Amino acid sequence: MSLLKTIQFSRSQRFIKQAITVASQQRTQATLSDQNKSSRLQALRDKLQQDANSLDEFVNPGQTEKLNHMEALELRETVIPGKQIKTTKLKQPRLPEWLKTDIPVGKNFSKIKKDLRGLKLHTVCEEARCPNIGDCWGGGEHQTATATIMLMGDECTRGCRFCSVKTNRAPKPLDPHEPEHTSEAISRWGLDYVVLTSVDRDDLADGGSRHFAETISKIKQKAPHILVECLTGDFGGSLEGVETVAKSGLDVYAHNIETVEALTPYVRDRRAGFRQSLKVLDHAKKTRPDLITKTSIMLGCGETDEEVLDALQELRNIDVDCVTLGQYMRPTKRHMKVHEYVTPEKFKYWETKGMEMGFKYVASGPLVRSSYKAGEFYIGNILKGRRGLPLTPTPEKFMSENKKI
């Protein structure tokens, strides 16, 4: 028995040694395999890096600075001046001095802001980050505060590339008290001219046209003397919606074409259209021939002079009365870039050209906006003149020999 145990023990020892040897060999092979894989992976990385360098050199020879992913999205097409190949980035032009404005302050500014918050109202002045908010709300030289009320919430169902208003496919339901609150706020301010606008509400069957009409009606009930301008959307192309607003008692029907026809698909939401906007303005005038119709064009988006002239002629063809032209200002880095900052001299040229074409009123300047209060003096006087009422003295700051009532 003792001999048998000795033999069994010896066999067990040999088996253990063999197992250890096999395990050691397997570990060695695994290590070599990992090293080979690592070596092949590194070789692949080196190859890809060489290819990447070759591509950089091909696209822009001699350039050592690499672009980050955001910069790469802003590359222009490669240009070849002579034999030298060069790729340039789309650089944002520096803001010129004539577009720099003061920080808004003052009693009127604070009062209007407090009233708006208390009544849960919104203004396009804030939502669109208008550069004139300090002048309009503060009263400026005229001591007459103005704010453009934005109806139907602060979330738009459309997403235009130039606009900073929040977007939402399913905005909050309309506030049934908004027409009353709006008329109450306006009566507090003691204005004689008010501008109403709104976000686009494609989620509503009528686009919000009846809400517009109700607000206008309540304003006229509380203060019949107030002149009301409405800057509306296109109501999804519904001319019935246009007619509802046009017949509601307002004095000025405004709808912006925003840009020239060629740039419309790149600047505005896909549901908007240059021709559709012309139909809105045309139908408003045909519904009520006594209505003043008005629109606005942004410059600096890449339009040509010929395209601007064509747009102005299209507007005159449908008897639009007033047009404003202003500089496009990029609200945030998420919005489309400014193509150029148009000079004040060029804006003056378009003002003169517009008056020569027969518009009743043209406001053209870097800081002009569709509802800038300078225009309210002129348009208000047009309306008062038609009714035989005393005209409001126009501030010297905005006097121009080209503007005639």
Side-chain angles (χ1 to χ4, degrees), residues 274 305-315 317 357:
F274 185 83
D305 287 357
E306 292 76 14
E307 290 169 340
V308 176
L309 194 60
D310 287 345
L312 292 174
Q313 189 58 58
E314 292 276 10
L315 295 171
N317 291 343
M357 295 176 71

Side-chain angles (χ1 to χ4, degrees), residues 171-183:
K172 297 176 183 177
L174 295 182
D175 178 4
H177 303 295
E178 187 175 52
E180 181 65 33
H181 288 169
T182 301
S183 60

Side-chain angles (χ1 to χ4, degrees), residues 55-164:
L55 180 61
D56 289 341
E57 185 67 15
F58 173 76
V59 172
N60 202 358
Q63 177 176 303
T64 57
E65 181 183 357
K66 292 185 178 297
L67 303 178
N68 61 39
H69 71 285
M70 290 301 293
E71 292 174 325
L73 292 174
E74 298 177 357
L75 288 176
R76 289 186 186 271
E77 294 181 358
T78 301
V79 293
I80 308 176
K83 293 184 179 180
Q84 183 181 6
I85 301 175
K86 184 180 180 181
T87 300
T88 59
K89 290 190 295 181
L90 283 170
K91 293 184 178 179
Q92 182 72 8
R94 292 183 65 85
L95 191 70
E97 288 297 324
W98 63 77
L99 285 173
K100 296 179 180 179
T101 57
D102 296 329
I103 297 174
V105 292
K107 292 182 179 179
N108 281 341
F109 181 88
S110 300
K111 180 180 183 299
I112 290 179
K113 191 167 186 176
K114 182 179 179 180
D115 285 347
L116 291 168
R117 296 297 171 271
L119 294 171
K120 297 181 180 179
L121 299 176
H122 304 281
T123 68
V124 73
C125 316
E126 294 176 292
E127 300 298 331
R129 305 187 182 190
C130 180
N132 301 314
I133 188 171
D135 192 20
C136 290
W137 287 24
E141 296 178 4
H142 330 302
Q143 301 305 313
T144 301
T146 305
T148 301
I149 302 295
M150 189 166 72
L151 304 175
M152 298 188 274
D154 61 349
E155 295 178 325
C156 186
T157 54
R158 299 189 184 181
C160 297
R161 294 186 63 206
F162 65 88
C163 184
S164 65

Side-chain angles (χ1 to χ4, degrees), residues 24 41 66 103 134 137 160 163 224 248 282 297 314 336 343 347 359 405:
S24 178
L41 181 59
K66 292 185 178 297
I103 297 174
W137 287 24
C160 297
C163 184
S248 64
D282 187 35
I297 303 174
E314 292 276 10
M336 70 177 191
T343 64
F347 277 108
F359 288 100
I405 296 174

Side-chain angles (χ1 to χ4, degrees), residues 311-348:
L312 292 174
Q313 189 58 58
E314 292 276 10
L315 295 171
R316 286 305 303 133
N317 291 343
I318 57 173
D319 200 23
V320 170
D321 299 295
C322 307
V323 63
T324 64
L325 299 98
Q327 172 68 52
Y328 165 61
M329 304 277 280
R330 189 185 191 189
T332 72
K333 290 184 178 180
R334 294 182 291 106
H335 294 82
M336 70 177 191
K337 285 179 173 286
V338 175
H339 186 271
E340 68 170 324
Y341 287 117
V342 180
T343 64
E345 292 74 21
K346 191 65 176 182
F347 277 108
K348 183 65 178 178

